[in-house]
Amino acid sequence: MTVPRVLLLTCTLPTSSAGVGGIFLHDLCRSYPSGSICCFGVVYPGFRSVAEDIDWMPVDYAVRPVRYQIPWLGPRAARLSGQLLRQIVREPRLEPLTRRIVQFGQRHSVDTVWAILYEPILVHLARRVSSALGCDLVTTVFDAPEYVSMTLGLDWLSHRRLMREFDEVMRASPRCSVASEGMAEEYHRRYGVEPTVLIHGVHPQLMRPPASGPVSDDQLVIGYSGSIYAPNTWRALLSALSRTNWRIQGRRVVLRVLTQPGVRLPESGSGNIEYLGWRTVEETIEI
């Protein structure tokens, strides 16, 4: 069977040592036939390497646009300055970046563009690139654009443009993959597509048997691994634990957190929080 020759268009390179998205893409690329996939990354400087076991994959890069804003003007003025600067800088940059990606795809004779719709720049590039190449467009949505817009603090105009273009990309993409059953149901309702739900599994060699009972009678450990995607829920959990003085039915509660540096931890109850930073999949399972 002949497999499509794929151009992976992403802001997160497939590597086993970065974030969750990088690990996911690494395992997906590793399972694809060698010689049938190439990658173009729109990335930050310094993030320009893929995992060694897929270094056979052709890769090219462009520097990801900065998140234009003038923060010292204050929150409201910063958002307005961001809106203006994005309009000035984004449009002139899209065309040369599109041409560069298209030339890369042509060199590798691709017939399918696989776009990871994680950053606004990729949402705006996806249709341009696939149309210029005359290729099928398939998409992957790990984080909903509404969430991405919120975390980036986009102004209302940039948010509207992002959502309008996302709708067009999804309608132009006959096949897509998503991160959850709920997202699959929502996008089926919105766009009439039949999304594939991608859930990252654990290699059988890394699996561990579950505990047969509580490890401790006087301590309750709550483990959390991953990014903090729902800050309001996170704060509600910490507030509830604080109100119970970090005890549940007489047991001292410990919150064990494995996540990227930079997460804000409260001063109240900080002695009950074990912050272990970013760990590999193997370390996370063992912990």
Side-chain angles (χ1 to χ4, degrees), residues 181-252:
E181 295 286 352
M183 188 180 283
E185 293 172 3
E186 175 69 11
Y187 290 172
H188 173 69
R189 183 186 64 81
R190 281 195 208 175
Y191 309 114
V193 297
E194 296 290 346
T196 298
V197 179
L198 292 179
I199 303 296
H200 194 280
V202 175
H203 194 283
Q205 293 180 352
L206 299 177
M207 291 182 179
R208 298 289 184 271
S212 57
V215 176
S216 170
D217 292 331
D218 57 6
Q219 180 170 281
L220 172 64
V221 177
I222 300 175
Y224 185 87
S225 174
S227 300
I228 307 298
Y229 288 105
N232 292 338
T233 306
W234 169 255
R235 286 191 289 268
L237 170 64
L238 296 177
S239 174
L241 289 171
S242 179
R243 293 187 182 192
T244 65
N245 199 28
W246 291 79
R247 302 193 73 83
I248 295 179
Q249 294 185 344
R251 299 168 72 184
R252 175 176 177 265

Side-chain angles (χ1 to χ4, degrees), residues 145-165:
E146 296 90 340
Y147 168 78
V148 173
S149 176
M150 178 189 69
T151 57
L152 294 180
L154 294 185
D155 57 88
W156 69 272
L157 180 59
S158 297
H159 172 78
R160 286 183 59 188
R161 294 188 66 170
L162 172 64
M163 295 307 303
R164 185 167 60 244
E165 183 62 24

Side-chain angles (χ1 to χ4, degrees), residues 26-39:
H26 164 255
D27 291 349
L28 289 169
C29 290
R30 188 172 58 174
S31 68
Y32 207 73
S34 174
S36 296
I37 185 169
C38 60
C39 174

